[in-house]
Amino acid sequence: MSTVTSSSEQSLASVVIVDYGLGNLRSVTRGLERAGADVDITDDPEAFAAADGVVLPGVGAFREGVENADPLREDLLEVAESGTPLFGICLGMQMLLTSSEEGENDGESAVRGLDLIPGTNVRFAEGQKVPHMGWNELDVERDHPLVAGVDGQYAYFVHSYYTVPDDEDATVATTDYELEFPSIVANEEGNVFGTQFHPEKSGETGLRILRNFVEICAAE
């Protein structure tokens, strides 16, 4: 069990970053601190329950992410059920869905995501340049406090798979990369959400989103 704590001088909310062995933890921590959060990096479920909000980061493959996080699966589901904001970033967002084509490669059996936002993750079409890497525009499709002030702004992406929620209303914002894909999704209750891009690498746009997240946490 690991715990790393950092603090913001003007903390608006306490946020836990889930440490399951994958993810850009330090950059996410710095971004959240700039946004006004007191941050713990931990795999301690008791810390999840005590926090105002929980972040599930992720860099890498769906199967590895799901398998690494599996010991914490029930704890993460309890976070969502309790109404605590749960924010998935990049692979962390994909893990909020049910399944992924990436988890079915090489004849292996599929692995199941958290299924908090029903749907699957699919690979960009053959012929498209992958990964989708670099800056691209966010087109807000519906209201959610996470996206206040970011419609038409640009964020930084690095991914080869994109989410396809079962319910189109789960899509909060889209991005165009030869096809329109969901770049921000949320569950019906609004407390579980994710960004396909990296807010911690997205300059002022990303900082605005992280601030919005911290304000969501503070309001709970």
Side-chain angles (χ1 to χ4, degrees), residues 18-211:
V18 181
D19 183 2
Y20 64 102
L22 295 175
N24 195 8
L25 305 184
R26 298 300 177 185
S27 294
V28 176
T29 297
R30 288 193 294 270
L32 285 166
E33 288 176 340
R34 289 185 63 200
D38 180 30
V39 183
D40 285 355
I41 303 172
T42 184
D43 60 359
D44 181 0
E46 291 185 5
F48 303 173
D52 296 319
V54 176
V55 174
L56 183 65
V59 175
F62 185 83
R63 173 178 290 277
E64 184 181 10
V66 169
E67 290 178 347
N68 277 28
D70 196 59
L72 301 171
R73 176 183 293 268
E74 293 305 317
D75 305 297
L76 293 170
L77 295 180
E78 287 179 12
V79 168
E81 187 175 352
S82 73
T84 298
L86 176 59
F87 182 10
I89 294 176
C90 196
L91 174 62
M93 167 177 151
Q94 295 185 3
M95 289 166 58
L96 298 176
L97 273 74
T98 312
S99 62
S100 177
E101 290 180 355
E102 190 176 18
E104 301 170 350
N105 290 344
D106 302 322
E108 299 180 53
S109 60
V111 290
R112 186 173 179 83
L114 294 171
D115 197 29
L116 292 169
I117 301 175
T120 192
N121 300 284
V122 302
R123 186 173 173 84
F124 282 113
E126 187 174 348
Q128 282 187 267
K129 184 178 180 180
V130 293
H132 169 215
M133 183 168 62
W135 295 86
N136 211 335
E137 187 174 3
L138 306 177
D139 182 10
V140 173
E141 301 288 344
R142 67 174 179 87
D143 289 338
H144 189 283
L146 189 70
V147 295
V150 301
D151 189 27
Q153 300 301 305
Y154 283 72
Y156 187 79
F157 293 82
V158 183
H159 63 118
S160 299
Y161 292 76
Y162 63 93
T163 65
V164 181
D166 290 349
D167 183 354
E168 63 181 16
D169 289 340
T171 299
V172 175
T174 59
T175 294
D176 188 0
Y177 185 63
E178 296 187 22
L179 57 81
E180 188 178 78
F181 69 88
S183 47
I184 303 177
V185 297
N187 68 344
E188 184 176 354
E189 295 76 14
N191 71 303
V192 176
F193 41 83
T195 61
Q196 182 58 74
F197 55 89
H198 288 274
E200 76 280 7
K201 297 180 180 179
S202 296
E204 289 302 314
T205 300
L207 181 58
R208 177 63 185 265
I209 286 174
L210 293 176
R211 283 177 175 157

